[in-house]
Amino acid sequence: MDLSIIIPIYNEEANIPALYQRLLGVLNPMELAYEFIFINDGSRDRSLALIQELAAQDSRVRYADFSRNFGHQIAVTAGLDLSIGEAVVIIDADLQDPPELIPDLYAKLQEGYEVVYAKRRTRQGESAAKLLTAKMFYRILANITHISIPVDTGDFRIVSRKVVRALKQMPEQNKFIRGQIAWVGYRQTYLEYDRSVRAGGATGYTYSKMIRLALDGITGFSDAPLRAATISGFVVSGISFLVMLYTLYSRFVSGDYEHGWASLMVSILFLGGVQLIAIGIIGEYIARLSANVRQRPLYIISDTNVPSVLPETETAH
Ligand code: UDP
Ligand code: MG
């Protein structure tokens, strides 16, 4: 098998037929042995039925159906686990990632790279808020991690089997795949593309899912927030100490200590705020620690046509 195409699916009934046609149009001229791996991540529309129809006509179509919605990053992880291609492409189902870029990605990989990621030159049809928060997130992340996670890229990319093998050794529960791939190392490069608007349907990435992904990215690859909490603790303690000296001075030396309400409120609110933020940051890390200690399977497959996964038993990975 030369090439696997991993496609996470969450309510994509409007896009699956067009996506399949466009992928065929691109892949067939490449004259490779390839497979599609559709991961149905708990869709509530006709996505699974459409995928099963494709699988019935085309033996290159593999799929796994999750028992519920586990999230985009977990769906991609399952795709990586089930894929057998020497090269593996990760692509969104909504045609925001142009399938037409795949031959270029593949050609670049053959030049001796292990990862070729697709970098967004432009991004159409996203709200100003999403563009701004995404831009800020990638810049902050780049600044506080010691691995270089490329800015302005999603998961659209091609990786070699070597990289897939490395990823399979990374057991963390909170997946941030683009960070993991950066962490793996090897020779990596990129191609630029213009990201188009979603072809049909609506985004499956709610703001809460985006915030979770951002926190997984930061906590998975940086201790900077913990350090910031410690440093702000020292700074605030330093200021409090000075204020304390001033208070003692007012009480015992200058004797001017009547009207204290405003300063009391300000310092209590400020200290309370800083403490809560610090506890919250620590909590984010502890939550992830406990998720990893529990060692639950990352996902449950309820149905699949992938031969390596036993069809009768519900298989957990
Ligand atoms: N997706 C998924 N599970 C989810 C949310 C999204 O598998 O819980 C898939 C979705 O079907 C698509 C890809 O992940 O193929 C990217 O999602 P989307 O286009 O909604 O994200 P956006 O482009 O808006 O960031
Ligand atoms: Mg999209």
Side-chain angles (χ1 to χ4, degrees):
M1 186 70 69
D2 301 312
L3 183 62
S4 303
I5 312 284
I6 295 176
I7 313 156
I9 300 285
Y10 180 61
N11 297 340
E12 300 283 7
E13 64 181 2
N15 298 316
I16 289 170
L19 171 74
Y20 176 70
Q21 289 307 329
R22 264 176 72 180
L23 282 170
L24 281 189
V26 167
L27 294 171
N28 284 340
M30 290 174 74
E31 296 184 341
L32 300 169
Y34 64 87
E35 62 174 356
F36 300 99
I37 300 188
F38 288 92
I39 305 292
N40 182 38
D41 184 17
S43 299
R44 280 184 291 262
D45 62 359
R46 285 188 16 88
S47 294
L48 179 65
L50 289 174
I51 296 165
Q52 283 169 332
E53 264 168 44
L54 293 179
Q57 317 154 1
D58 183 344
S59 62
R60 293 167 305 194
V61 173
R62 308 265 190 227
Y63 70 89
D65 180 35
F66 278 179
S67 58
R68 63 169 171 86
N69 178 243
F70 281 88
H72 170 239
Q73 298 287 298
I74 302 294
V76 173
T77 303
L80 291 167
D81 290 344
L82 300 178
S83 71
I84 56 171
E86 276 311 307
V88 177
V89 167
I90 303 167
I91 189 168
D92 283 358
D94 59 1
L95 292 166
Q96 285 196 289
D97 305 333
E100 291 69 26
L101 198 67
I102 293 175
D104 298 340
L105 292 172
Y106 189 80
K108 198 87 190 166
L109 194 78
Q110 302 309 315
E111 287 174 20
Y113 293 96
E114 303 295 334
V115 177
V116 186
Y117 53 88
K119 192 168 152 97
R120 302 159 179 161
R121 194 186 302 129
T122 58
R123 239 183 138 169
Q124 293 170 37
E126 309 278 16
S127 68
K130 180 157 182 173
L131 290 182
L132 183 73
T133 48
K135 209 173 180 81
M136 270 171 46
F137 169 67
Y138 286 117
R139 299 301 179 287
I140 291 172
L141 191 65
N143 275 310
I144 63 177
T145 54
H146 23 257
I147 52 166
S148 55
I149 298 173
V151 297
D152 302 328
T153 64
D155 288 318
F156 183 32
R157 56 189 63 208
I158 191 167
V159 300
S160 68
R161 177 64 21 199
K162 245 188 216 173
V163 171
V164 176
R165 243 178 263 131
L167 289 174
K168 282 184 173 184
Q169 290 175 36
M170 297 169 77
E172 59 250 55
Q173 296 274 325
N174 304 91
K175 296 281 181 190
F176 186 64
I177 291 166
R178 57 205 86 153
Q180 291 182 284
I181 290 177
W183 184 92
V184 165
Y186 294 125
R187 286 185 72 201
Q188 309 203 355
T189 188
Y190 65 92
L191 291 177
E192 287 190 318
Y193 76 109
D194 298 303
R195 190 164 171 85
S196 49
V197 295
R198 183 171 245 286
T203 178
Y205 256 99
T206 55
Y207 270 101
S208 74
K209 281 181 182 171
M210 267 190 291
I211 290 169
R212 200 175 322 146
L213 180 71
L215 285 176
D216 284 339
I218 291 171
T219 54
F221 293 94
S222 173
D223 294 333
L226 287 174
R227 218 165 309 125
T230 314
I231 291 170
S232 64
F234 276 110
V235 170
V236 171
S237 304
I239 295 170
S240 306
F241 182 72
L242 294 179
V243 174
M244 194 183 75
L245 288 183
Y246 172 75
T247 313
L248 291 175
Y249 173 82
S250 308
R251 172 66 182 78
F252 293 110
V253 184
S254 66
D256 169 28
Y257 59 92
E258 212 50 82
H259 352 264
W261 183 77
S263 56
L264 255 179
M265 285 309 279
V266 167
S267 46
I268 288 173
L269 292 176
F270 181 63
L271 279 175
V274 169
Q275 283 170 351
L276 284 178
I277 291 172
I279 291 171
I281 291 171
I282 295 167
E284 291 294 333
Y285 283 85
I286 291 183
R288 283 163 180 78
L289 228 126
S290 71
N292 283 297
V293 170
R294 271 186 241 124
Q295 294 228 340
R296 292 202 183 128
L298 280 174
Y299 51 86
I300 306 283
I301 293 177
S302 65
D303 177 29
T304 176
N305 68 347
V306 177
S308 61
V309 184
L310 290 174
E312 308 86 349
T313 52
E314 296 198 337
T315 315
H317 289 257

